Amino acid sequence: MVLSEDELSILKNLGKAGRRIPAGRDLVYQGQSDKVAYILNSGWAFSYKLLQDGQRQILDFEVPGDFLGLRSILLNMSDHGIEAVTDIEVTELHIDELLEIFSQSPRLMLAVLWAASRDDAMIVEHLIDVGRRSATERMAHYLMELGLRLELVGMADRSGFACPLTQYLLADAVGLSAVHVNRVLRELRENGLLTFRDGCVRFDDYVELSRFAQFDETYLDHSGPRFRQSFLAGLGNLREAG
Amino acid sequence: MVLSEDELSILKNLGKAGRRIPAGRDLVYQGQSDKVAYILNSGWAFSYKLLQDGQRQILDFEVPGDFLGLRSILLNMSDHGIEAVTDIEVTELHIDELLEIFSQSPRLMLAVLWAASRDDAMIVEHLIDVGRRSATERMAHYLMELGLRLELVGMADRSGFACPLTQYLLADAVGLSAVHVNRVLRELRENGLLTFRDGCVRFDDYVELSRFAQFDETYLDHSGPRFRQSFLAGLGNLREAG
DNA sequence: CGGAGGGTTGATTCCCCTCAAAATCAGTGG
DNA sequence: CCACTGATTTTGAGGGGAATCAACCCTCCG
């Protein structure tokens, strides 16, 4: 599902004209209670959870076009923080406004639910990454996933993409040490699979890389939420119950 | 949120009078396209994904009272299989019927969304398990989570619970080898934290165990989805768009 | 009785972590 | 222009946690 220009402009006109956050700053703090949503217009960010002992697990990187804070809106998720990787520009959407918009444009709501669904599928895939794949496969798989997501917004193709992530960030995302991330990237480079250098990821052999990482892209390719008449009628009735 | 007896009986009366599946049999095959949902009335099951190389990652165990196949209904998730651990008895809910019920009982739909939300939070926590915790912490955390879930349906307390899982299944769930699961369980037992034996988990020192595993139970304790008037109106309008 | 599934333990291997130290690079200010 | 600083990348050495391989035990069951 791709939103029309009209629909995107609805969202953009609605929010504050574009809030800017500098690199390294938190957009949302873990534990923050006022719920807001954002559309990431430019730059990269990531959502994370802090453990009691100070370790950090990055749940997902966010790239331009992504919705941030979905879980906070649709569901009562355990909370997490969001931090800017680069300078970013976001459109801030207050929930009330957003919900109002949904009532006017069901397609927009479908888009958001679709995004939430994809986020969920990605978390599952990351679970498999850290649970069942070697460090090298894991890194390859992760970077291919990022590439495909960026491809959808025209920021990547099968030859590679610009990537502002540090090896420390990648380490926190895939559950490795930064040192080992470096070794793994070298191995991938020396095997002619992919090159991570100077802020760019280059796929040196996409086909072979795909085989090596067991990358099955179908989990990113959903056709949209599945709703039917009676379900929607039920949702309507929630007005009295919610 | 706890469903009333009336509401549970609505669900139970609706489905086939209780389908039985023997231990070890698949309830849902990975790749199966006809979408159905189930309520697990008795016995244990688990959802899993198979990798191309034959490895298996268990996404979650399901205990009595759980909804199965939620992701298939609400969202277009990447598909996964569901297998029975013990003999199980399920109530099969066809989506159409289920959606019809939702329109009559908004509370039921809230319950289902709440369950989906909790599933999501658990997957995130499992991601942290395998990414950031040692084998021993991971196992302790996982068994405490299971205990708390079972407590909600009266099948566990702070002293322990009956657990039909084999060490092989635990291994596939937490991303360890079966051999190492055994060693880890021995370590927990010798340290006086918990005992896994004869199909039972006994918490020998719940407080100390909780500290050791960094177990923060708030992620399991949601108050229900967060909806408002305008949002629900929007959902109603989806009738024309879905 | 024999076989299968599950549990337990030991020996060995290896993947990845930790610690440590260069090398490179981007700013920053004198 | 250059010294200084901090962040990042790179590489090496050593250690440890978990996998693998390989037994052996037990119980259950046809």
Side-chain angles (χ1 to χ4, degrees), chain A residues 52-53 55 72 76 96 99 103 109 117 120 130 132 171 175 214 222 224 226 228 231 234-235 237-238, chain B residues 52-53 55-56 72 76 96 99 103 109 117 120 130 132 171-172 214 222 224 226 228 231 234-235 237-238:
Chain A
Q52 296 171 16
D53 61 7
Q55 287 190 96
S72 310
N76 273 347
D96 295 324
L99 298 179
S103 71
M109 191 162 86
S117 158
D120 204 45
V130 293
R132 289 290 158 220
Q214 294 192 47
H222 299 164
R226 177 189 302 114
R228 306 190 189 183
F231 177 62
L235 286 163
N237 289 335
L238 268 179
Chain B
Q52 295 169 15
D53 62 7
Q55 287 189 97
R56 176 176 69 175
S72 312
N76 273 346
D96 295 324
L99 298 178
S103 71
M109 191 162 84
S117 158
D120 204 45
V130 292
R132 291 291 133 172
D172 273 351
Q214 293 190 46
H222 299 165
R226 176 188 303 112
R228 305 189 191 185
F231 178 63
L235 285 163
N237 288 336
L238 268 178

Side-chain angles (χ1 to χ4, degrees), chain B residues 158-196:
Chain B
R158 296 296 155 113
S159 70
F161 56 90
C163 175
L165 304 178
T166 69
Q167 297 181 1
Y168 283 88
L169 289 175
L170 280 175
D172 273 351
V174 299
L176 296 173
S177 71
V179 172
H180 202 61
V181 164
N182 184 275
R183 287 189 231 276
V184 158
L185 290 174
R186 173 154 57 104
E187 185 188 336
L188 287 170
R189 182 181 348 117
E190 289 173 350
N191 289 348
L193 293 175
L194 75 81
T195 306
F196 182 97

Side-chain angles (χ1 to χ4, degrees), chain A residues 162-196:
Chain A
C163 176
L165 304 178
T166 69
Q167 297 181 3
Y168 283 88
L169 289 175
L170 280 177
D172 273 351
V174 299
L176 296 173
S177 71
V179 173
H180 202 62
V181 164
N182 185 275
R183 288 187 229 277
V184 158
L185 290 173
R186 174 155 57 103
E187 184 188 338
L188 288 170
R189 181 178 353 114
E190 290 173 349
N191 289 349
L193 293 176
L194 75 80
T195 306
F196 183 96

Side-chain angles (χ1 to χ4, degrees), chain B residues 39-96:
Chain B
I39 298 174
L40 185 52
N41 296 323
S42 69
W44 290 46
F46 62 88
S47 58
Y48 66 92
K49 269 196 81 155
L50 293 176
L51 276 67
Q52 295 169 15
D53 62 7
Q55 287 189 97
R56 176 176 69 175
Q57 174 70 45
I58 290 182
L59 303 179
D60 204 1
F61 291 109
E62 315 285 355
V63 301
D66 283 346
F67 280 84
L68 314 183
L70 273 188
R71 294 189 181 78
S72 312
I73 301 179
L74 295 176
L75 308 169
N76 273 346
M77 266 293 288
S78 60
D79 61 350
H80 54 264
I82 300 179
E83 183 179 319
V85 174
T86 64
D87 292 348
I88 62 176
E89 195 243 321
V90 297
T91 301
E92 183 174 330
L93 303 171
H94 279 290
I95 293 196
D96 295 324

